[in-house]
Amino acid sequence: MKVLLENLSKHFGSVVAVDGVTLDIRDSEFVAFLGPSGCGKTTTLLMVAGIYKPTTGIVKFDERVVNHLAPRDRKIGMVFQSYALYPHMTVYQNLTFPMRLSKVPKSEMEARAKEAADILGIGALMDRRPGQLSGGQQQRVALGRALAKQPDLLLFDEPLSNLDARLRLSMRGEIKRLQMELGITSIYVTHDQVEAMTMADRIAVIREGKLQAYATSDELYDQPRTLFIAGFVGNPPMNLIEVEVLQEGDSYRARRNGFDLQLSEARGHKAAGRGKVILGIRPEDVSIGDRGLRGEVYVVEPLGRDDLLDVHVGDASVHVLADPSLHLKIGDQVQLGLNVDKVQFFDPESEQSLLWA
Amino acid sequence: MTWKQRLGSAIPYILLTILTIPVFVGYLWIIISTFSGRTYGLVPVDSQGNFGGLTLENWSFLWEDPNIWFVTLNTLLLSVLLTVGVVIISALAGYALSRISFPGRKTFLAGTLILHAFPSVTLLISIYFVLRWISNLPVLGKGLPIIGGFGYNTVGGVALVMVSLSLPLGIWLMKGFFDNVSWDMERAALIDGCSRLRVWWEIMLPSIKPGIAALSIFTFITGWGAFLIPYTFITDQEKSTLAAYLNSLMGETAPVNYSRVAAVGLFQLIPVLFFFIFTQEYLLSIFSGGSKGGT
């Protein structure tokens, strides 16, 4: 099923929670709504679910406007962060509750509940109550309940946030695989950019109720259109350094106190002559070598595969992912090479990208 | 443990014991005096003032006065009516006030709280006129079987008045319990195919069972001990409720037989006592689970 949001807004009194969001979701597509908490992503999801009525704007399923359709008539399945299982019902009763309400025949109900339980590996828990299950098991039951009703659209509201890190990792892969196999159009709300990037076909980045970008994870990562996206997407986050870009003959240089970088012409000329701009470079695009910017190691954080260094170049601080075998220590003098084909530039006032606007 | 630590942990118990003694002695006196002709302090004495004089005479009302059983049934009927009425209405109203935003919601909540603060004595006269008016209604007034009707001088009428006076507390309690049920669960049920009423019945009510149990017990005990309203609005004291019957034993003309009063009092107390022993843990949840959250 296709979903279309057109100029969708939600006001709570004088507070604007969602402000004119427009986006389309293709059939069988997996879309993530990504943003910090309180940005309006869950409110948007609840409008798609029909729990909230939009203040203005339209929600369309396929070609049909569903604004006034009650949640139960929308054929959606939803998985909540708190699992929202019914505590007084057994797992089996939880799985079959939606089907019982829509009067599915008993034999089919049992078959579908069993199928969902088998897919999710909760077949042995059918007679237990939610209170007797672990967090991971409860999450599986919640997912099973949403799947067993065979919805046209699956909604996830931060479903993995209450699980421990290891479980989150395995559930992430499982949800992604299930979604691809079943081909159900899905919307996944999360504040975790890793979740969004690993699972979603496209990501809608939302900030303060406004849609910042709607693109694939590669595009968000390599061509961030705003300063917010640049800082929010990617871990560890992108270095953002205020510089001035100057043209000297054919060459472009980014400068600030103790910082002087030769730029490529393609990227340099878009940032030149604008006074102060913000240069962005990801930690993995900075390397330790014997040429480049001189700096001093200020902090070393071993991450296992890499060391995350905080290197002070002049009065700027640059995070670098370095090979642990270099055995760098606090106070060491190093030289940084920046991959000039990966630098980003942003306007400090409008926070828009100077490269991808 | 040093003796200082021991003393420290014993202090709460000592204080509680001291505070409980007057209550405990009171109950002890009731129990002793119901089986004695007269008492001197806590000691049963005979007419010469010596220890003795134990008797079952005070309990003779159980077999000599048929009214006692009539009154007991009446009290039970009143308590059940009160409990059913308060629980049903509070559970519905509490849900609406907790979950649905509608114009006047806050005013209503504040209003019920103010009503709860009103002493019901001040309303007695106006309630009398209301009940008299209801009495004139056909059938509903005083033509119903068992409860008599909802008018003046009927058990139903007294129950009606007591239900309305108990509702503010009940509604606030239920609202508090509903406030503690997660929104996600309700949303899940709505998406799974429930109507709002069905969410209330299938999801919300089972989730607040302890609250409903607590409110039921609390209301039942209130009804069982009710005095002022039944005493005022049922003319025949001997036929109203246990508390009013108890009062009728203390007439102004004849000397009062306190041992008999104690026996009737104990008779009224026994069911509540047993009830309380088995249900006190639910009652505690009124203070822990309920009445939380604002408007």
Side-chain angles (χ1 to χ4, degrees):
Chain A
M1 192 177 70
K2 287 183 293 184
V3 178
L4 180 67
L5 311 182
E6 253 177 44
N7 205 16
L8 203 61
S9 296
K10 179 69 185 176
H11 301 190
F12 295 106
S14 60
V15 181
V16 181
V18 177
D19 190 2
V21 168
T22 300
L23 58 84
D24 68 296
I25 298 165
R26 292 189 283 262
D27 189 33
S28 320
E29 197 176 23
F30 194 121
V31 166
F33 289 175
L34 177 65
S37 51
C39 73
K41 54 194 193 298
T42 298
T43 310
T44 311
L45 191 76
L46 289 175
M47 284 194 279
V48 176
I51 301 289
Y52 288 159
K53 297 256 178 294
T55 310
T56 59
I58 293 173
V59 180
K60 263 188 186 173
F61 288 179
D62 284 331
E63 302 309 319
R64 187 172 171 216
V65 176
V66 295
N67 279 32
H68 295 286
L69 216 56
R72 60 186 158 137
D73 299 322
R74 295 191 179 202
K75 288 191 149 180
I76 49 182
M78 186 155 172
V79 183
F80 294 86
Q81 179 180 355
S82 62
Y83 319 134
L85 297 174
Y86 311 124
H88 55 288
M89 298 184 192
T90 63
V91 168
Y92 177 77
Q93 286 167 331
N94 264 286
L95 289 176
T96 53
F97 184 66
M99 294 185 268
R100 183 157 70 81
L101 292 173
S102 56
K103 303 206 167 59
V104 172
K106 194 154 184 274
S107 56
E108 193 192 333
M109 203 157 85
E110 276 171 12
R112 270 157 68 172
K114 191 174 176 305
E115 193 193 343
D118 286 344
I119 292 176
L120 293 162
I122 48 173
L125 309 171
M126 286 298 212
D127 297 325
R128 303 251 199 112
R129 280 174 202 278
Q132 302 166 300
L133 302 179
S134 70
Q137 288 169 331
Q138 289 188 41
Q139 188 58 75
R140 281 161 192 277
V141 175
L143 189 56
R145 183 176 64 185
L147 289 176
K149 65 187 287 199
Q150 300 181 341
D152 291 339
L153 175 66
L154 267 174
L155 306 178
F156 298 89
D157 184 10
E158 311 217 5
L160 304 183
S161 299
N162 287 1
L163 300 180
D164 65 62
R166 216 191 150 102
L167 206 51
R168 203 178 304 161
L169 209 70
S170 65
M171 281 300 281
R172 207 162 79 191
E174 235 171 297
I175 291 177
K176 176 70 192 159
R177 186 182 54 80
L178 266 174
Q179 193 273 337
M180 282 177 83
E181 275 175 17
L182 300 171
I184 305 173
T185 314
S186 302
I187 304 177
Y188 190 103
V189 162
T190 180
H191 63 264
D192 180 344
Q193 45 98 16
V194 180
E195 257 173 44
M197 294 188 63
T198 50
M199 298 171 79
D201 298 324
R202 280 195 289 172
I203 301 170
V205 181
I206 298 173
R207 183 201 189 187
E208 288 166 6
K210 289 197 175 73
L211 186 64
Q212 289 262 315
Y214 185 39
T216 62
S217 54
D218 288 348
E219 198 185 325
L220 284 183
Y221 197 76
D222 295 330
Q223 304 176 8
R225 298 173 77 90
T226 67
L227 195 60
F228 173 75
I229 298 171
F232 195 69
V233 173
N235 187 28
M238 185 184 280
N239 292 297
L240 299 168
I241 305 158
E242 198 175 69
V243 297
E244 202 162 343
V245 176
L246 302 167
Q247 184 175 10
E248 294 172 355
D250 285 344
S251 79
Y252 294 88
R253 307 195 76 86
R255 285 209 179 112
R256 66 175 282 148
N257 182 19
F259 186 106
D260 187 354
L261 180 71
Q262 165 101 40
L263 300 168
S264 70
E265 193 195 337
R267 299 206 173 192
H269 90 266
K270 289 187 179 165
R274 287 175 163 271
K276 295 233 185 309
V277 295
I278 292 174
L279 177 147
I281 182 82
R282 295 199 180 275
E284 61 265 39
D285 296 326
V286 184
S287 55
I288 308 271
D290 41 15
R291 280 188 300 157
L293 302 167
R294 289 178 182 282
E296 184 187 322
V297 178
Y298 188 66
V299 177
V300 181
E301 293 178 47
L303 301 177
R305 197 183 51 185
D306 301 297
D307 280 352
L308 179 62
L309 308 180
D310 182 358
V311 179
H312 281 190
V313 179
D315 57 358
S317 146
V318 181
H319 286 93
V320 185
L321 282 176
D323 189 342
S325 65
L326 293 174
H327 298 297
L328 290 166
K329 299 183 302 296
I330 292 172
D332 284 355
Q333 298 296 319
V334 291
Q335 289 193 292
L336 304 180
L338 275 63
N339 184 346
V340 290
D341 293 326
K342 293 288 179 77
V343 287
Q344 310 284 341
F345 288 105
F346 302 94
D347 185 310
E349 295 297 318
S350 67
E351 302 196 349
Q352 298 292 314
S353 171
L354 297 173
L355 304 180
W356 321 108
Chain B
M1 243 192 326
T2 67
W3 67 269
K4 262 189 180 174
Q5 281 171 317
R6 281 187 197 202
L7 190 70
S9 57
I11 281 175
Y13 291 101
I14 295 171
L15 278 175
L16 284 174
T17 309
I18 293 171
L19 288 173
T20 317
I21 283 174
V23 181
F24 184 72
V25 168
Y27 280 110
L28 202 61
W29 179 84
I30 287 186
I31 294 167
I32 292 170
S33 58
T34 59
F35 294 106
S36 20
R38 58 173 72 174
T39 54
Y40 182 77
L42 287 176
V43 183
V45 291
D46 57 19
S47 49
Q48 269 78 49
N50 300 321
F51 179 81
L54 291 172
T55 170
L56 280 177
E57 175 62 23
N58 299 318
W59 288 91
S60 65
F61 67 91
L62 287 180
W63 51 87
E64 279 170 5
D65 186 358
N67 268 347
I68 184 68
W69 297 109
F70 187 75
V71 164
T72 308
L73 280 178
N74 249 0
T75 313
L76 184 68
L77 182 63
L78 174 67
S79 307
V80 170
L81 281 178
L82 179 66
T83 309
V84 171
V86 167
V87 168
I88 290 178
I89 299 174
S90 303
L92 281 166
Y95 174 76
L97 289 166
S98 164
R99 289 302 212 233
I100 303 170
S101 89
F102 50 87
R105 178 175 159 278
K106 281 193 174 181
T107 322
F108 186 88
L109 274 171
T112 44
L113 207 58
I114 291 168
L115 279 184
H116 182 50
F118 249 83
S120 47
V121 190
T122 56
L123 297 171
L124 284 182
I125 295 170
S126 45
I127 289 172
Y128 170 75
F129 283 108
V130 173
L131 285 181
R132 281 293 298 271
W133 182 83
I134 295 176
S135 285
N136 293 330
L137 296 176
V139 189
L140 273 185
K142 42 191 173 184
L144 293 175
I146 307 171
I147 63 166
F150 291 107
Y152 183 66
N153 203 15
T154 61
V155 176
V158 170
L160 185 68
V161 172
M162 290 195 65
V163 165
S164 26
L165 291 174
S166 311
L167 275 180
L169 177 74
I171 289 172
W172 269 88
L173 261 178
M174 285 292 100
K175 179 190 169 288
F177 277 99
F178 281 123
D179 283 348
N180 286 343
V181 180
S182 88
W183 268 104
D184 277 357
M185 206 155 77
E186 182 159 6
R187 287 169 181 158
L190 284 173
I191 288 169
D192 280 348
C194 287
S195 62
R196 215 60 199 262
L197 196 65
R198 191 137 191 191
V199 172
W200 176 77
W201 177 248
E202 290 224 33
I203 305 297
M204 299 301 271
L205 282 191
S207 306
I208 59 154
K209 262 187 197 161
I212 292 175
L215 181 61
S216 310
I217 296 157
F218 187 75
T219 316
F220 187 89
I221 292 177
T222 308
W224 189 259
F227 169 67
L228 187 66
I229 308 287
Y231 174 72
T232 316
F233 297 118
I234 295 183
T235 42
D236 201 350
Q237 280 187 40
E238 284 85 356
K239 290 185 179 173
S240 75
T241 62
L242 276 169
Y245 178 87
L246 196 60
N247 185 59
S248 73
L249 294 179
M250 299 191 274
E252 278 163 26
T253 47
V256 180
N257 179 352
Y258 280 108
S259 295
R260 165 155 294 198
V261 171
V264 175
L266 191 58
F267 175 74
Q268 185 190 5
L269 186 69
I270 289 168
V272 178
L273 215 54
F274 273 99
F275 201 52
F276 198 80
I277 288 169
F278 292 113
T279 57
Q280 54 169 333
E281 76 183 275
Y282 284 110
L283 270 182
L284 278 178
S285 70
I286 283 192
F287 305 107
S288 58
S291 61
K292 222 165 74 181
T295 57

